[in-house]
Amino acid sequence: MRDLANWKGCPAPQPVSIEGRYVRVESYDRTAHLEPLWHDAFGGLAINPLLKYFTQDDFSGIEAFDAWLSAVQTKSGWITEVFRDKATGKVVGMANYMRADPANGVVEVGGVAHGPAMSRSPLSTEAHYLMARHVFEDLGYRRYEWKCHSENQPSRTTALRLGFTFEGIFRQHMISKHGNRDTAWFSMIDSEWPLLKAAFEAWLSPENFDPEGRQKRRLDEIRAELAAKEQA
């Protein structure tokens, strides 16, 4: 744990663009990204089942999606980041830096939406690695959070796979789509980041994939091996 005797807080997250090997994380620009997100990444109205566990009502069309994105950025202070597949040039998903607490060095990644093109590929893993690296290394944050509806098992599985630690359930935390939401909380902290970073980079290495693009070692396996070496 770092010495906090002279802690002065962190800068608030700002829109940022980050280049990876497989994916480019781009700061959201309405002109450049709205239609590709709606049509290419999420398949128009197919977005509604994809965002089943988001709190807002289903979208009636791109105009409603546009209004929601604008509202979460201007009213809630979300920093929307868009994921672009470098191989195809297509927009494939998004996530947001949100609920930043610069004084305490805490920020959440949320509003996470992976389009179908991100599944079973390195894209989502690298996108979240790049966003986490920016938080810990560029901005100096102490804690990075992931929260989701307690019934959203895919999101909970993703959080654990990425190396977030499950912290518990906040009961009746929110009202979501006119019903109760118990929220599952996850986090990673700065003291864990060196090991998490090493595991991400080993998993993302081209040597970890066979000619058909299948992983040779799972991310959790690599983390466990690195942790065992640290403790030896």
Side-chain angles (χ1 to χ4, degrees):
M1 186 176 295
R2 74 171 80 175
D3 182 1
L4 300 176
N6 297 307
W7 172 259
K8 293 181 171 60
C10 299
Q14 300 294 327
V16 64
S17 294
I18 316 169
E19 195 82 15
R21 179 180 288 117
Y22 307 103
V23 69
R24 183 180 299 113
V25 177
E26 302 177 358
S27 58
Y28 177 76
D29 175 85
R30 183 180 181 277
T31 300
H33 295 131
L34 175 62
E35 292 202 4
L37 274 174
W38 178 258
H39 294 294
D40 298 340
F42 304 137
L45 291 176
I47 193 174
N48 289 322
L50 180 66
L51 305 190
K52 173 183 176 181
Y53 293 105
F54 279 34
T55 58
Q56 84 292 327
D57 291 337
D58 285 351
F59 299 116
S60 58
I62 191 172
E63 295 82 6
F65 178 61
D66 180 26
W68 172 76
L69 267 180
S70 176
V72 296
Q73 291 165 28
T74 58
K75 296 179 182 178
S76 302
W78 293 17
I79 305 296
T80 303
E81 298 292 331
V82 175
F83 306 146
R84 187 181 298 276
D85 184 344
K86 292 181 68 173
T88 65
K90 290 188 175 181
V91 169
V92 292
M94 69 177 187
N96 299 264
Y97 292 126
M98 54 194 288
R99 299 190 180 94
D101 179 0
N104 290 296
V106 180
V107 67
E108 177 182 345
V109 58
V112 176
H114 298 164
M118 296 185 74
S119 64
R120 300 187 180 278
S121 79
L123 299 176
S124 62
T125 302
E126 186 177 55
H128 287 287
Y129 159 65
L130 295 173
M131 290 188 70
R133 188 184 70 184
H134 177 62
V135 162
F136 287 118
E137 298 186 10
D138 299 332
L139 302 181
Y141 275 69
R142 304 171 56 241
R143 173 180 167 90
Y144 192 42
E145 298 179 334
W146 178 294
K147 304 186 186 87
C148 63
H149 197 300
S150 63
E151 296 175 5
N152 188 350
Q153 193 57 54
S155 181
R156 294 178 66 164
T157 299
T158 297
L160 292 173
R161 179 184 172 275
L162 293 172
F164 288 87
T165 295
F166 175 63
E167 296 182 328
I169 302 293
F170 277 45
R171 299 178 301 163
Q172 295 189 185
H173 177 232
M174 300 174 68
I175 295 173
S176 177
K177 290 185 167 65
H178 313 289
N180 177 61
R181 167 173 150 166
D182 296 338
T183 297
W185 285 51
F186 301 80
S187 74
M188 57 177 67
I189 57 177
D190 53 356
S191 61
E192 300 166 342
W193 177 243
L195 187 148
L196 294 173
K197 177 182 179 180
F200 275 125
E201 292 183 347
W203 188 88
L204 289 164
S205 170
E207 288 73 30
N208 191 43
F209 297 92
D210 67 18
E212 284 72 44
R214 295 186 294 256
Q215 65 177 349
K216 296 178 182 177
R217 293 193 297 161
R218 299 196 313 268
L219 183 56
D220 61 339
E221 291 176 340
I222 296 172
R223 269 199 314 273
E225 291 173 9
L226 293 174
K229 288 179 181 178
E230 278 194 355
Q231 294 169 4

